Amino acid sequence: MAELKQVSFPPEILARIAPDISLQRHLSIGLRPNLRNFTEFKPIDIASNNELTENNNNVFGSSVIKSGSTTVINTITLGVVEVNSSTKSATTEQLGNAGYTTVYPVIEIARGRSGAPTDEEMILSQTLHETLLHSRLIPKASLSINNYGAAVYDATLSNYSIYYPDLNPQEFELINFNHSKSYTFVLLSHIKIFSRQKSTSALFDLCHLSTVHALSRLQLPRVYISDTTSGTKVSVKSRSSNTRGLVGLSRSNINIDTNKELFYPLVLNNSEDAMVDSSGPFDHSGVSSNFGVVTVADADKEGNDEEGKRSILLADLEGEAEESAILSRLSIISNKSNTIKKISLINGDGNSEISLDILKQALEIAKLRAQQM
Amino acid sequence: MSDRRRLIGPLNTIIPNIGISSNATEADVFKGPSSATRNEDGLRQFFLKTGIIENANGSAYLEVGGNIIQVSVFGPRPIRGSFVDRASFSVECKFLPYISQPNEQLYNNTTVNAGSTANTGPTNANANGRTGLTNIEQKISSYIETALLPSIVLEKYPKSTIDIFVTILSTESSNSGSTKVDAALLGISNWVLNCSSVALVDSGIELKDVVTSGVATLKNDKLLLDPEVISSGEDNENTLTCVVSFMNLRNDEIVGFWMEGDQSKFEESQVEQLIDGCNNMSRQVRANINSYFTSTLE
Amino acid sequence: MSKMILSPAERSYLYDSLTQAPPIRPDSRTDHQFRPLEAKTSFLPGSNGSARIRLMDGSECIVSVKSKVVLSALESSLIECDIDVSGFRDDSNFVSNLKFYLTNLLQHNFPTQYLKLTSRYAFKLFIDCIVISHSSYPLSLISLTTYLALKTTRLPLLVSDVNDEEVAEQPTFSDDWDNAKYIGDFMKDGEVFQPPIFITLGVIGPNLIFDPSTEEEQVLENGLIVSFYGNKVITPISNINLATNSNNSNFKGLNRSLITKAMALGNKYCPAVVKALDTLIEQDDEEGTIF
């Protein structure tokens, strides 16, 4: 009978073929595969320059965030949608949840394949969309467009001038301006993630951070209406596969004034101040932290129960081993005033359940982190 | 109108046109010539970094003037199906959705709304929901593919595929969606190719040589290397622009050639002049790339 | 459209014969000879202009030109092209690039001033190409068919006032189709209307061959696309890998002298191509039939 020899694998290979074993081995000696402490978060760098917004006149807010080698680039562009003027009369408090709106994110993870959005991308976008809505960050009133300007062609100067009812009242009165529709802005966000390091929960945290940061730097422009001789064309369904399922182009006469002096910041969370808070962008919206719970079996450690197992809380999951072996997850959004904006708990693994102690520990860590951001 | 897989906004969202500025002094003013320094031969400084994308086999990041380009190389990756004796090679180049692509009004079927008086805006469709590549992206992709194909030793990687993904994060001519200047499109193709070559080196795939590229403009008999798109008033009159890509160590053989321009006077001597200029530029780029790699290996 | 896979022996044989001086081509053409073609024009009743070219191997392309009166201010360009190649998706790289080439060529080299009707209105031409079947790279085929279609395009005659600066007036046209004019008729004396064309050249060894066939494309070292307009070679000029549906193992870089040689050859032989197309139109006397 042939002898069976023991095969050993280097750590990276073991992590891929037997991630649970790799993780157990690391944890039993008190380490994580990514060499962080159990409750340590990966450091995040937020770029302070505003190059993307400055270089592109259709980008009104942007953010670039790096964590390890993962880079998240977020750009916010604007759309415009017609509103029913009757709904504008109610105040934000009266409307409750309906008084708030959110961002429409499209998340793309650069993964070396082109094609339809993956489940992961779709889930991240939807979760982000809903989280921002329920955190009541953006009141609908902040996005409504008022004081439409009018573009008038001056034959002597042979160019157009724009007049606003509030800034140029005398000139505006002379213009025959009949525009009865009301519009509001729609925030369209595009997030591109480079070099992701294999954890969806951590990606959500980064996307949330990135969106809030971009919103805090968002500047809204003034809008003017140009003359309506061109008329509006009804959108046509395009045959070309490039716009599969999407309707083609519709012409409109709504224009954005590129005058940067007239840009105003987005008013968030019903506060009187321009920015979210005086101190920082994450104060109201909160910071998202992700955790995982895993059970380690080591017979001779103290604090174990009779079966020799103990539950460990790991913060900020990263890496193939952690991502595939840890099925019980927590996601907590906490803000500076210690309000918990969102909790998500998943008990994915019968062996590693989230106990009350674990939950308390996670909440404390999340709150502390929100304070420090 | 709805794409069920993406959140592209409420059903009747319109993208407003980017109009003019109500501030008369600000109207139509460009950033002006960038402060990027040029050396005696006219080449701009560029910033290069490799190995930044962990899940790709090779990657490179290039910044020059207002252009920011990121390239990831994936491969050799196995392919399913029957045996092929050489690797298949593909290039996919994408701009970030909101960036206006050079000459896009001509090639990308974007419409112009006369109500938008300055016609500077990007496409009126919601770019976030865009699937597939635009015509300009396809053209750049095929230029890169044609130029890099001769340099890769495909026979060493049977039954595999090598894919290059290019993301253009920013272009110089971003704010001039109406630009008709050839230098915009040819210039960005030039730098995308240089960046892709570096990413290929970073990936460790066997190459016959590193492809480098130069772009030059001949305007009113004046040769300008690495032209910049400065103002929106520029046009193509009396201009010949071309991007030429070489394998410098293989006798400067030309792997990529793309010439555009105004053809009122078009002679062989001008073509020679342009090719020489591009060759000059490509050699300098190569020298810089060489020194980058030797310094990072230390 | 047959997928051409050559055996190593065939490739080697072809390569060796094509690198001779002068090159020996399998169909015994000279290096500057185009493949014989059959063409017909003005057979689509619903289009202002139409043309069809068919090659001996079955490759076929039909181009239709239709016009529409538009407000010049609203349009970014007065010519719009669309290409449909059977067997390929509209958003594939292959078709997108063909569209890019054709659009690029026509945008820069078309006398659009003759499409203007009044100060406000102009004709916009919509050029639709269908490549029903192709074996070699179809760009040259498409551009020659487009040449024929544009040359035989007739536009209705304007009868309303040309000057509408003061009074906005919609243009009106003569009801009699016999009054419709060819685009070339609008041009001044001495000028002839000759739309631009593309020619494809194959690079192999020291040789350049015109209009490479499918087998030849498989063994080429490189390819060049050269444009011709106004009786001379113009831009865009670019190199291209013509063997798109198979992996061409011979593909390599080209020597710069070949580029200037290609321009010289273009200047020398393309006038004959244009002349042949013009003659074809003159001799095409059966109106309305497609065969």
Side-chain angles (χ1 to χ4, degrees), chain B residues 113-133:
Chain B
N113 181 2
S116 154
T117 52
N119 296 346
T120 53
T123 168
N124 267 4
N126 189 343
N128 253 2
R130 179 174 54 131
T131 57
L133 267 58

Side-chain angles (χ1 to χ4, degrees), chain A residues 55-58 69 75 80-81 112 114 160 189 194-195 224 226 242 246 249 252 254-259 261, chain B residues 1 12 14 17 19-23 26 54 70 74 77 92 97-98 113 115 117 125 128-129 131 165 174-175:
Chain A
N55 283 359
N56 296 287
N57 58 9
N58 54 343
S69 72
T75 45
V80 151
V81 73
S114 51
Y160 281 79
S189 154
F194 291 97
S195 187
Y224 68 90
S226 52
N242 196 16
L246 299 172
L249 318 158
S252 64
I254 303 168
N255 310 281
I256 288 183
D257 185 350
T258 54
N259 184 358
E261 290 173 18
Chain B
M1 164 83 120
N12 42 355
I14 320 169
N17 308 300
I20 57 173
S21 171
S22 52
N23 182 349
E26 206 184 274
E54 291 208 353
Q70 186 275 327
F74 291 86
R77 287 194 286 201
E92 185 180 297
Y98 50 80
N113 181 2
T117 52
N128 253 2
T131 57
F165 289 88
S174 284
N175 275 345

Side-chain angles (χ1 to χ4, degrees), chain A residues 45-341:
Chain A
D45 289 313
I46 307 177
S48 50
N49 68 355
N50 221 350
E51 212 181 317
L52 287 170
T53 313
E54 286 161 19
N55 283 359
N56 296 287
N57 58 9
N58 54 343
V59 174
F60 296 91
S62 67
S63 146
V64 176
I65 290 186
K66 260 190 95 129
S67 175
S69 72
T70 308
T71 311
V72 178
I73 299 183
N74 187 343
T75 45
I76 301 188
T77 50
L78 294 175
V80 151
V81 73
E82 203 180 314
V83 282
N84 206 335
S85 359
S86 58
T87 58
K88 282 177 69 173
S89 47
T91 62
T92 310
E93 289 89 42
Q94 290 170 338
L95 291 168
N97 228 22
Y100 294 91
T101 179
T102 176
V103 189
Y104 291 84
V106 171
I107 296 183
E108 256 183 67
I109 303 178
R111 52 202 155 94
R113 291 204 190 281
S114 51
T118 55
D119 282 347
E120 185 181 18
E121 290 166 343
M122 291 195 273
I123 292 172
L124 278 173
S125 307
Q126 187 71 26
T127 323
L128 191 59
H129 176 79
E130 287 174 4
T131 303
L132 284 175
L133 177 63
H134 295 293
S135 67
R136 296 196 177 185
L137 188 62
I138 311 171
K140 274 188 182 162
S142 307
L143 290 180
S144 71
I145 309 178
N146 309 307
N147 290 325
Y148 298 91
V152 176
Y153 189 68
D154 189 341
T156 50
L157 298 169
S158 65
N159 65 359
Y160 281 79
S161 302
I162 304 173
Y163 299 110
Y164 291 98
D166 52 337
L167 299 175
N168 323 89
Q170 293 144 339
E171 290 97 334
F172 195 77
E173 275 178 5
L174 305 169
I175 303 173
N176 188 7
F177 188 70
N178 46 355
H179 182 85
S180 51
K181 301 184 189 172
S182 352
Y183 293 92
T184 176
F185 282 121
V186 173
L187 297 173
L188 306 166
S189 154
H190 180 263
I191 301 179
K192 184 119 192 186
I193 302 174
F194 291 97
S195 187
R196 49 94 43 102
Q197 286 165 312
K198 288 250 185 300
S199 172
T200 311
S201 327
L203 280 184
F204 174 75
D205 289 356
L206 284 177
C207 291
H208 181 260
L209 202 70
S210 156
T211 308
V212 172
H213 185 244
L215 285 173
S216 73
R217 307 207 296 188
L218 181 65
Q219 298 271 326
L220 295 173
R222 297 296 296 263
V223 170
Y224 68 90
I225 314 287
S226 52
D227 55 51
T228 53
T229 50
S230 50
T232 30
K233 246 193 171 185
V234 179
S235 17
V236 176
K237 192 151 189 170
S238 167
R239 257 195 322 121
S240 121
S241 322
N242 196 16
T243 51
R244 210 180 333 152
L246 299 172
V247 184
L249 318 158
S250 68
R251 297 182 180 191
S252 64
N253 48 10
I254 303 168
N255 310 281
I256 288 183
D257 185 350
T258 54
N259 184 358
K260 292 216 164 125
E261 290 173 18
L262 293 180
F263 281 14
Y264 58 96
L266 176 67
V267 177
L268 290 168
N269 201 20
N270 225 13
S271 65
E272 290 297 311
D273 306 317
M275 301 293 279
V276 187
D277 276 300
S278 48
S279 24
F282 307 113
D283 296 357
H284 262 289
S285 57
V287 172
S288 174
S289 309
N290 76 92
F291 303 88
V293 179
V294 64
T295 306
V296 175
D298 33 33
D300 46 33
K301 277 269 187 357
E302 290 180 24
N304 290 1
D305 58 10
E306 307 90 61
E307 289 150 15
K309 289 198 260 185
R310 59 191 169 104
S311 284
I312 302 184
L313 177 72
L314 295 176
D316 210 4
L317 302 180
E318 178 196 352
E320 179 103 37
E322 290 185 5
E323 173 74 6
S324 44
I326 300 181
L327 303 171
S328 295
R329 309 264 177 108
L330 295 103
S331 171
I332 299 173
I333 302 184
S334 164
N335 71 1
K336 273 226 168 108
S337 34
N338 275 345
T339 314
I340 305 292
K341 288 270 190 175

Side-chain angles (χ1 to χ4, degrees), chain C residues 234-278:
Chain C
I234 52 158
T235 58
I237 301 180
S238 63
N239 78 323
I240 182 172
N241 180 8
L242 293 169
T244 42
N245 36 349
S246 71
N247 272 326
N248 180 357
S249 50
N250 280 350
F251 197 69
K252 55 205 260 222
L254 50 86
N255 195 309
R256 62 158 74 187
S257 59
L258 287 173
I259 298 178
T260 37
K261 187 174 165 197
M263 286 171 58
L265 286 177
N267 276 321
K268 190 169 164 195
Y269 295 114
C270 285
V273 176
V274 172
K275 188 149 170 270
L277 290 173
D278 288 342

Side-chain angles (χ1 to χ4, degrees), chain C residues 46-119:
Chain C
S47 306
N48 295 73
S50 52
R52 166 183 168 271
I53 288 188
R54 193 169 63 169
L55 295 175
M56 291 304 120
D57 62 3
S59 306
E60 190 171 344
C61 171
I62 299 183
V63 171
S64 132
V65 179
K66 293 175 94 115
S67 67
K68 183 173 140 178
V69 177
V70 296
L71 283 161
S72 328
L74 282 180
E75 301 291 330
S76 52
S77 90
L78 290 177
I79 304 188
E80 202 171 298
C81 305
D82 187 56
I83 299 184
D84 187 347
V85 182
S86 79
F88 285 87
R89 279 172 61 120
D90 282 351
D91 57 356
S92 65
N93 199 293
F94 187 73
V95 176
S96 287
N97 281 322
L98 287 171
K99 227 189 290 197
F100 185 95
Y101 275 119
L102 193 65
T103 311
N104 192 3
L105 181 70
L106 289 172
Q107 289 293 351
H108 292 120
N109 304 304
F110 193 89
T112 47
Q113 66 265 36
Y114 299 115
L115 294 176
K116 290 204 168 31
L117 293 162
T118 68
S119 61

Side-chain angles (χ1 to χ4, degrees), chain C residues 18-209:
Chain C
L18 287 174
T19 43
Q20 300 297 312
I24 302 170
R25 301 176 79 166
D27 47 11
S28 53
R29 282 185 280 155
T30 60
D31 60 346
H32 56 264
Q33 207 173 347
F34 274 69
R35 283 168 289 180
L37 53 86
E38 197 181 41
K40 196 79 187 66
T41 60
S42 305
F43 52 88
L44 289 176
S47 306
N48 295 73
S50 52
R52 166 183 168 271
I53 288 188
R54 193 169 63 169
L55 295 175
M56 291 304 120
D57 62 3
S59 306
E60 190 171 344
C61 171
I62 299 183
V63 171
S64 132
V65 179
K66 293 175 94 115
S67 67
K68 183 173 140 178
V69 177
V70 296
L71 283 161
S72 328
L74 282 180
E75 301 291 330
S76 52
S77 90
L78 290 177
I79 304 188
E80 202 171 298
C81 305
D82 187 56
I83 299 184
D84 187 347
V85 182
S86 79
F88 285 87
R89 279 172 61 120
D90 282 351
D91 57 356
S92 65
N93 199 293
F94 187 73
V95 176
S96 287
N97 281 322
L98 287 171
K99 227 189 290 197
F100 185 95
Y101 275 119
L102 193 65
T103 311
N104 192 3
L105 181 70
L106 289 172
Q107 289 293 351
H108 292 120
N109 304 304
F110 193 89
T112 47
Q113 66 265 36
Y114 299 115
L115 294 176
K116 290 204 168 31
L117 293 162
T118 68
S119 61
R120 280 183 226 254
Y121 293 96
F123 273 123
K124 178 164 175 169
L125 295 181
F126 292 87
I127 300 174
D128 295 297
C129 316
I130 306 179
V131 178
I132 299 169
S133 146
H134 72 100
S135 51
S136 53
Y137 196 69
L139 186 62
S140 179
L141 175 67
I142 293 172
S143 87
L144 294 181
T145 321
T146 309
Y147 179 97
L148 291 175
L150 281 172
K151 197 111 196 237
T152 55
T153 295
R154 296 174 76 180
L155 297 171
L157 182 67
L158 183 72
V159 294
S160 59
D161 198 355
V162 175
N163 185 354
D164 65 349
E165 289 263 351
E166 304 288 313
V167 183
E169 177 191 5
Q170 288 227 339
T172 45
F173 299 90
S174 164
D175 287 330
D176 190 355
W177 181 247
D178 287 334
N179 285 340
K181 295 170 76 165
Y182 290 100
I183 298 179
D185 295 341
F186 290 108
M187 301 183 82
K188 314 232 180 356
D189 302 302
E191 281 182 24
V192 189
F193 177 50
Q194 285 178 330
I197 57 170
F198 275 122
I199 53 164
T200 322
L201 290 135
V203 175
I204 185 153
N207 294 329
L208 286 166
I209 50 176

